[in-house]
Amino acid sequence: MNLLIHPIKKEKVGSLTVRVYESRKAMGQAAAVDVITKMKELLQEKTNIRMIFASAPSQNEFLETLRKAPDIDWNRVTVFHMDEYIGLAAESPQRFSTFLTEQLFDCVKPGTTHLIDSSNDEIKECKRYSQLLKEAPVDIVCLGIGENGHIAFNDPPVANFEDPQFIKAVELDEISRQQQVNDGCFPTIDDVPTHALTLTIPALMSGNSLYCIVPGTTKKAAVRETLNNPISSKNPATVLRRHPNCILYLDEDSYGSE
């Protein structure tokens, strides 16, 4: 891709690389260019690469750029997603698997797509998906941060940096559920499911390269806490400051000015 987008600010917080862009579009495009570059680099070295994706409107600009990228051999890419509601009908447009299938997977046709089946027995599904995740190292994780600092659906009440599981069933925090309304995914909080299956923090942190895309004013407080608060499950995204290879992409709205 010929896109060359420079950040307006760069900093390092712990091990976390932070890049701020002048607009949401520039932020999403810049993140996509970096992921595309890493994918092509890895595909020159390896037969197959493995990636995990977040499902949220915050990822739209990133996904749009990624799916239009030429010369990626998606047939050698295995993809996962990081969470799924429990209790939504299979045909529901709010299912995260539906979002990613429409926004990316159907467009690029990965060689292997592993979707979380939340209609399955929870224990059996967690075991099945965990085994798939552990078959080989995860190369790339593309994620976001929630308004309460969650990564995937690891809300503060259930986040565990030392979680023994790779995927688990959780009850969703009210802030998390309200965010789904704020994002326009559901009309009211009563329509938002109360439970979900989510990859745990150790599962996400096991990825070799993390690309975290966080636009918008509604994320400003969460970003500030991620960068400045003590590293703690009270602010789950603070754990990203420990990852040796994570980039946080922000726009001016999410970074704010202090």
Side-chain angles (χ1 to χ4, degrees), residues 34 81 142 204 235:
D34 288 347
H81 63 125
C142 304
L204 299 174
N235 304 101

Side-chain angles (χ1 to χ4, degrees), residues 24-70:
R24 178 177 177 139
K25 182 177 181 180
M27 174 215 64
Q29 289 177 336
V33 168
D34 288 347
V35 170
I36 292 160
T37 300
K38 175 58 71 171
M39 290 178 70
K40 290 183 176 180
E41 173 189 307
L42 290 171
L43 286 167
Q44 288 183 334
E45 302 168 357
K46 305 175 67 171
T47 302
N48 180 275
I49 65 172
R50 292 156 57 86
M51 303 178 68
I52 298 172
F53 289 93
S55 315
S58 64
Q59 308 297 298
N60 285 348
E61 293 80 8
F62 162 70
L63 293 173
E64 179 183 6
T65 306
L66 183 62
R67 68 176 176 255
K68 293 178 180 177

Side-chain angles (χ1 to χ4, degrees), residues 55-124:
S55 315
S58 64
Q59 308 297 298
N60 285 348
E61 293 80 8
F62 162 70
L63 293 173
E64 179 183 6
T65 306
L66 183 62
R67 68 176 176 255
K68 293 178 180 177
D71 305 322
I72 296 177
D73 187 358
W74 281 95
N75 194 49
R76 294 196 285 131
V77 181
T78 297
V79 298
F80 300 84
H81 63 125
M82 55 184 63
D83 42 23
E84 187 60 90
Y85 292 116
I86 293 171
L88 281 185
E91 65 276 8
S92 172
Q94 289 100 341
R95 284 176 70 102
F96 293 135
S97 54
T98 301
F99 174 88
L100 274 175
T101 297
E102 293 177 351
Q103 295 292 321
L104 184 64
F105 300 157
D106 275 355
C107 304
V108 299
K109 305 269 191 302
T112 305
T113 300
H114 293 304
L115 300 178
I116 299 170
D117 181 4
S118 59
S119 63
N120 194 6
D121 174 82
E122 292 172 17
I123 294 174
K124 290 180 180 177

